[in-house]
Amino acid sequence: ATFADFLEMAQHLHDTGYKDAAAVIAGSALEAHLRGLCTNAGIATESQKLAGTLTPKKADLLNSELCAANVYSKLDQKNITAWLDLRNKAAHGKYAEYQAEQVALQIAAVRDFIQRNPA
C-alpha cells in the first residue's frame, strides 16, 4: 500500500468518527514518508548503539536532519513537528488534547506535504 492509501484510510476513519485512529495512521504515513526522503537524500534512518545494534531514528530526528540537509524548509520542519506531536498525543491516549478538526487539517496537510516533496 502507498502512503496515499494510508491517508485515504485516515480520512475514512476521521469521516466515520474515529479521530484518534485517524491521527495515528496519518502520522505513521508521514513518518514512513520522512524515512523515504532520508533514503533519497542519503541520510541514515538508523543509528548505531554502543552494543553495535542498529535502531531506527525517531521521526523528530529525521525531520531535523532533512531540514538541515535542505530537503525542505524550516517552515515545513515546524509543521511536521506539530503533526508528529498530534500523532503522539493520539498514540498515547491523550485524546482530549486535540480536536477532530485538527486531525482533519493534519491529514490534508500531510497529503499536501507528500505531494510537494515526493520520495
Side-chain angles (χ1 to χ4, degrees), residues 68-79:
N70 294 313
V71 173
Y72 49 73
S73 70
K74 187 76 174 167
L75 178 59
D76 278 326
Q77 180 192 10
K78 288 178 179 183
N79 283 323

Side-chain angles (χ1 to χ4, degrees), residues 1-45:
T2 65
F3 305 130
D5 293 337
F6 286 111
L7 290 175
E8 288 301 316
M9 191 184 316
Q11 187 67 56
H12 175 73
L13 286 164
H14 179 271
D15 292 347
T16 54
Y18 297 97
K19 75 171 174 70
D20 309 316
V24 172
I25 290 177
S28 297
L30 173 61
E31 182 172 348
H33 190 72
L34 294 178
R35 291 188 186 286
L37 290 172
C38 282
T39 299
N40 289 353
I43 298 170
T45 58

